[in-house]
Amino acid sequence: MKSLWNTYKNHKAAQAIFLLIYIGVTSLSLFLAQKSVTAFLLLLASLLMLYFTNFKNLTKWLIAFVVLVFLLPFTASHGDGYQAYMEVATLVGIYIAMALGLNIVVGMAGLLDLGFVAFFAVGAYTYGIFATPQAANFMPFGHYPLSGASFWGLIIVGCLVAALFGILIGVPVLRVKGDYLAIVTLGFGEIIRIVFNNLDKPINITNGAMGIASITPPKLFGMEFIYPSQFYYIVLVILIFTIFTVLRFEHSKIGRSWKAIRENEIAAQAMGIPLVKTKLTAFAIGASFSGMMGVVFAAKQTFVDPTSFTLLESFTILVMVVLGGMGSVPGVILGAAVMTILNLQVLTELTNWLNQLTLSGAVHIPEALSPSKMQRFLFGGLLILFALYRPQGLIPAKNKQFDEEKLKKGKSATDQIISNTVHEEKAQV
């Protein structure tokens, strides 16, 4: 069996045939059984299988693009569960983007941030205030609410405002380290939530605990975005941009600086890395992704209030990063997807099934022990198991591999060029 598996791993044609059959069967299953959550989840699992194939990165991106843009929406669109599936997929994308932002701060730079949901709240309120008459209470110019066409510009504004808040929070926070850093960021996250909760006096900016309702939906070419299936494509575009940006940062100079600071601040500073500037960059970039998704969340829900941005949400996003693998982009994507799907679909469907058994008299499950009520208990147990038996996460972070022979050849060629240049300069002198 092991030799057969090794043969399969090294055989691209076999992988392509199996993956094609798997995607075809799961797509057909979802098309024929519209209420089958299992078929929906199995189709999404094809993306995980795709990651472990030996195809080129461009091929993997193209296949994933076809599955997410065409196959998944089309096969799920022929039944009553279409919008429910798209709602789950949209929220998965939102949480993945936030988890990737937190991964920059925690996984790459090594800065434990327990108030990350505050940046999500900043983005949501940025759109919520200006897309309702709320802004007229303190803005001396302009007509409010802004039209739905302003949504596309406010995504960028929400990104920049969240990045600014990341810098403002980071400046005083970076004076402390370790556990004290976690405590201070936790405090800042709660401060922002409480400020939004009480910012209805003396000038009503956020409408306090009542929240902001009737937020103007986005518009594009005269079409209003009001359904989850429409927001799914918005989230998908932002998510692709986020993943591409994070991957570019990871292997850039700033990404290597973050990792150096994470491993040893003193050694990093001795190598000439500016600690404060590099850490603030991590806070700002991580916060910007969360701010963009906050704008989308506010537009999708058409309502925001402080209860959506509690400390528990920050912990949930942190668990996604830890579960997937700190510092690992594919790991964080998988961790966020698993946590969100467990929360929104698996536990909900399991609870409904047990309730039906209870009503039919087959079994009796107390309401307090239903899976939806035990959600945090199950997540906590899952996190403990991974901390004990797989501390590096579902997909551990991997350092970029370099070919030693190519590096030696490159070094020899460089030395030869330098030597020739020196000889030429001596000859000219």
Side-chain angles (χ1 to χ4, degrees), residues 265-279:
E265 286 191 10
I266 297 175
Q269 193 172 21
M271 294 298 293
I273 296 174
L275 294 184
V276 175
K277 179 182 176 181
T278 307
K279 289 181 179 180

Side-chain angles (χ1 to χ4, degrees), residues 84-98:
Y85 288 141
M86 291 297 100
E87 174 76 11
V88 172
T90 302
L91 289 175
V92 167
I94 289 174
Y95 277 105
I96 287 175
M98 287 197 293

Side-chain angles (χ1 to χ4, degrees), residues 367-428:
E367 187 179 352
L369 295 179
S370 65
S372 58
K373 298 281 186 181
M374 303 288 288
Q375 177 196 48
R376 301 301 169 186
F377 173 79
L378 294 173
F379 286 171
L382 189 66
L383 191 60
I384 290 172
L385 288 175
F386 270 84
L388 291 175
Y389 299 106
R390 197 174 178 84
Q392 294 181 332
L394 291 169
I395 303 178
K398 296 179 181 179
N399 291 324
K400 193 172 182 179
Q401 300 293 324
F402 295 96
D403 191 339
E404 188 176 350
E405 294 299 324
K406 288 184 179 180
L407 290 176
K408 287 180 178 179
K409 289 180 181 178
K411 185 176 182 300
S412 301
T414 304
D415 292 342
Q416 185 64 36
I417 292 172
I418 294 173
S419 177
N420 292 338
T421 305
V422 171
H423 286 307
E424 288 177 3
E425 289 179 351
K426 288 182 177 180
Q428 291 176 0

Side-chain angles (χ1 to χ4, degrees), residues 134-139 198-208:
Q134 201 69 32
N137 296 332
F138 63 94
M139 290 295 290
N198 294 277
L199 207 59
D200 55 344
K201 298 174 183 177
I203 301 174
N204 188 2
I205 298 177
T206 63
N207 206 28

Side-chain angles (χ1 to χ4, degrees), residues 13 21 51 65-66 80 90 106 126 162 194 215-216 221 249 256 278 296 394 406 425:
I21 294 173
Y51 171 76
F65 181 82
V66 171
D80 298 334
T90 302
V106 178
T126 298
I194 292 170
I215 297 174
T216 305
F221 303 122
F249 273 122
R256 294 193 295 271
T278 307
V296 177
L394 291 169
K406 288 184 179 180
E425 289 179 351

Side-chain angles (χ1 to χ4, degrees), residues 239-255:
L239 182 59
I240 292 173
F241 167 76
T242 302
I243 294 173
F244 176 78
T245 306
V246 172
L247 288 174
R248 296 293 293 176
F249 273 122
E250 182 182 11
H251 300 298
S252 67
K253 180 180 179 181
I254 186 67

Side-chain angles (χ1 to χ4, degrees), residues 62-73:
L62 289 175
I63 296 174
F65 181 82
V66 171
V67 171
L68 292 174
V69 175
F70 299 106
L71 277 181
L72 181 63

